């Protein structure tokens, strides 16, 4: 399970190294070693033809659509990149992107009053989703 050691930082630097002669592969994130293994028939049990791909020169890597690791990484890396566009006049001092689970304080632009929650939590389902007790809204104050 790669996610148990995955760094919590929003910005992640991934390093993939592969030694074609020894079939050793290493994957790290923010200098935390997540995978250190030698490819073999015992390790590569899903794809019988793994050697077809790994015994040639590797010039790029990608996650195949059926690779469950891809879904796991996407889930772990989900971050909020801003407040929803529908939240007109709502602001935050928080710098984006933020990691899933980050609590943000929200306020309204000058001349508007906040109704609902003054704190929202980043992403439960995707990068634009927030959870809150009551959806924040801003109402213009008539003077």
């Amino acid at each position: 399970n790669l996610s148990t050691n995955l760094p919590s930082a929003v910005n992640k630097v991934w390093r993939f190294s592969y030694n074609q002669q020894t079939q050793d592969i290493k994957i790290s994130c923010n200098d935390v070693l997540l995978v250190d293994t030698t490819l073999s028939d015992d390790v590569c049990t899903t794809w019988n033809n793994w050697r077809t791909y790994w015994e040639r020169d590797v010039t790029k890597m990608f996650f195949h659509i059926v690779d469950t690791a891809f879904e796991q990484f996407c889930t772990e890396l989900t971050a909020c990149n801003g407040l929803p566009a529908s939240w007109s006049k709502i602001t935050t001092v928080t710098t984006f992107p933020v990691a899933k689970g980050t609590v943000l304080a929200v306020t309204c632009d000058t001349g508007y009053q906040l109704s609902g929650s003054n704190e929202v939590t980043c992403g439960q389902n995707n990068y634009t989703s927030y959870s809150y007790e009551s959806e924040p809204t801003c109402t213009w104050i008539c003077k």
Side-chain angles (χ1 to χ4, degrees):
N1 184 356
L2 298 178
S3 65
T4 57
N5 294 327
L6 195 62
S8 60
V10 172
N11 295 321
K12 293 178 173 51
V13 176
W14 292 89
R15 296 189 196 288
F16 297 84
S17 66
Y18 173 65
N19 183 319
Q20 189 175 17
Q21 293 175 327
T22 62
Q23 301 289 320
D24 292 332
I25 187 168
K26 294 182 181 185
I27 302 172
S28 64
C29 178
N30 294 3
D31 296 322
V32 174
L33 186 63
L34 301 172
V35 174
D36 184 2
T37 193
T38 301
L39 299 179
S40 68
D41 290 332
D42 292 334
V43 172
C44 302
T45 57
T46 305
W47 297 94
N48 295 334
N49 62 346
W50 68 271
R51 289 179 193 276
T52 303
Y53 300 98
W54 288 98
E55 289 184 345
R56 60 185 173 187
D57 289 339
V58 179
T59 57
K60 63 182 174 180
M61 296 180 73
F62 73 97
F63 290 105
H64 193 276
I65 191 74
V66 297
D67 191 341
T68 58
F70 178 76
E71 293 174 7
Q72 183 178 0
F73 289 139
C74 285
T75 300
E76 293 298 323
L77 298 175
T78 298
C80 295
N81 293 315
L83 295 174
S86 62
W87 288 4
S88 178
K89 306 300 181 189
I90 295 177
T91 61
T92 183
V93 295
T94 303
T95 302
F96 291 97
V98 296
K100 183 169 74 172
T102 301
V103 177
L104 292 77
V106 294
T107 59
C108 292
D109 289 345
T110 302
Y112 291 82
Q113 181 175 347
L114 179 69
S115 299
S117 297
N118 64 352
E119 289 185 340
V120 297
T121 304
C122 169
Q124 297 303 316
N125 300 317
N126 59 49
Y127 73 95
T128 58
S129 129
Y130 287 86
S131 61
Y132 39 78
E133 286 184 28
S134 175
E135 184 171 14
T137 58
C138 293
T139 309
W140 181 61
I141 302 170
C142 182
K143 292 184 180 184

